[in-house]
Amino acid sequence: MAEVLVTGGTGYIGSWCILALLDAGHSVRTTVRSLSREPELRAMLQRGEAAADAPLRVVAADLTQDAGWPQAVQGCDAVLHVASPTLTSTPRSDDEMVTPARDGVLRVLRASRDAGVRRVVLTSAIGAIAYGHPDRDTPFTEDDWTNVDAGIEPYQKSKALAERAAWDFVNSQGDGLELATVNPTGVLGPVLGPDFSPSLGLIQRMLDGSMPVNLKFASGYVDVRDVADLHLRAMTHPTAAGQRFIATSGHSLWVRDVAAILHQRLAERADRVPRREMPVWAARSLALVRPELRPLRALLGKNLDATSDKARRLLDWNPRPIEDTIAETAESLLALQTTETENRTA
């Protein structure tokens, strides 16, 4: 079995990648920005049923600095580069998000090449594929690239430019290093801790009533456990080198479809989930005064359908039904909320 580095082990996708690797018998090394987060990470993994004596080593490395990366990758057969720099506030310019994301990817690739790593699997996003395009009737595929000149949000722009930089580096300076990318749509699934993906935040707001109406946009969704499984397949399968793989469970869902699934599967526990859909014109006007809605403004009325046929065909990837994932996501969030309430009152 391989020795594998997972960057950003405390992240939502990163933690599930660690669990999948351990379950497959691999030895895992993972990076955190500060070793003070190691107890939190190990608690998360134990909630995911990892053994207390699992072969896991936690090392410190920050994507914004060179220090630590040569040691982090030394002796590893493969790297799952899941981490991406995050901002604590709205970026004042695109470069505040683009530059750290691109530099972080190149930092990991350079260290991996120098250490003789065989293959890097980069967690990219549908944001590198499906944004900035005119409306279309056909699903997006791995041949598509986001149009970064179309006034898109900094996050999507950073994903597209960071992935472009990764491919350029491997093709021009990789010296035999192999690269594959996984491009997930909206990532849902069980939570291991209070930090989770923006797509899970959508479900949370629907459940707690802070989103009183459904916004009109459609995207694909995928289970975080299936995203982790696709990372492992991209790491090990010979044909995966040099390939991009969209991770999506099926056709896109409108937000109203997600709400309907929650009502069907949770019954009275979904009483606060909205049933009405806000017209696009009204949502665009509201986004002008509600900062949390501004990143969604360009999506309103759009259907970002994508297909995972390539991953299914080449890697025999078979994601679970998204209806089950949506229900399990809600169950997990409700359980987390109950636990947090009990802890506050204890």
Side-chain angles (χ1 to χ4, degrees), residues 45 78 156:
L45 297 176
Q156 282 81 28

Side-chain angles (χ1 to χ4, degrees), residues 10 31-32 37 50 53 101 107 151 155 161 174 210 213 222 231 236 238 254 282 303 311 321-322 328:
T10 56
T31 63
V32 292
R37 298 199 70 183
D53 60 348
R107 194 164 273 120
Y155 175 78
L161 292 177
S210 59
V213 292
V222 64
H231 277 75
T236 57
W254 295 92
N303 183 356
I322 199 60
E328 288 186 56

Side-chain angles (χ1 to χ4, degrees), residues 232-290:
L232 267 65
R233 292 171 187 266
M235 180 186 84
T236 57
H237 202 288
T239 64
Q243 302 291 336
R244 310 170 84 198
F245 296 100
I246 292 175
T248 191
S249 178
H251 285 296
S252 60
L253 296 174
W254 295 92
V255 177
R256 63 175 180 264
D257 299 327
V258 177
I261 292 167
L262 290 170
H263 282 293
Q264 179 184 15
R265 299 292 286 268
L266 271 68
E268 70 277 358
R269 289 180 298 159
D271 283 346
R272 305 181 78 178
V273 173
R275 296 181 183 272
R276 295 182 299 111
E277 184 176 77
M278 178 178 283
V280 170
W281 66 265
R284 284 179 177 156
S285 298
L286 187 62
L288 294 175
V289 296
R290 294 279 295 272

Side-chain angles (χ1 to χ4, degrees), residues 155-238:
Y155 175 78
Q156 282 81 28
K157 188 173 184 178
S158 74
K159 284 297 186 181
L161 292 177
E163 189 187 337
R164 285 281 197 189
W167 288 114
D168 289 344
F169 176 87
V170 167
N171 291 332
S172 63
Q173 305 175 50
D175 196 23
L177 176 66
E178 296 176 349
L179 177 67
T181 69
V182 174
N183 297 69
T185 53
V187 182
L188 303 176
V191 297
L192 300 174
D195 294 332
F196 40 72
S197 73
S199 298
L200 273 160
L202 173 68
I203 304 295
Q204 179 70 71
R205 290 192 297 274
M206 296 172 83
L207 289 170
D208 65 21
S210 59
M211 193 178 88
V213 292
N214 295 312
L215 300 178
K216 188 173 183 178
F217 68 89
S219 68
Y221 296 94
V222 64
D223 194 294
V224 66
R225 294 163 292 187
D226 294 323
V227 174
D229 175 57
L230 185 53
H231 277 75
L232 267 65
R233 292 171 187 266
M235 180 186 84
T236 57
H237 202 288

Side-chain angles (χ1 to χ4, degrees), residues 7-70:
T7 67
T10 56
Y12 185 49
I13 296 176
S15 57
W16 281 103
C17 283
I18 293 172
L19 289 169
L21 286 163
L22 293 173
D23 188 59
H26 298 290
S27 296
V28 181
R29 203 178 300 174
T30 191
T31 63
V32 292
R33 287 191 296 273
S34 168
L35 289 178
S36 65
R37 298 199 70 183
E38 181 173 352
E40 172 193 350
L41 169 61
R42 292 191 179 274
M44 290 169 60
L45 297 176
Q46 286 186 19
R47 283 193 287 273
E49 301 185 355
D53 60 348
L56 170 70
R57 185 155 68 94
V58 182
V59 298
D62 189 321
L63 285 173
T64 64
Q65 302 174 20
D66 290 334
W69 289 107

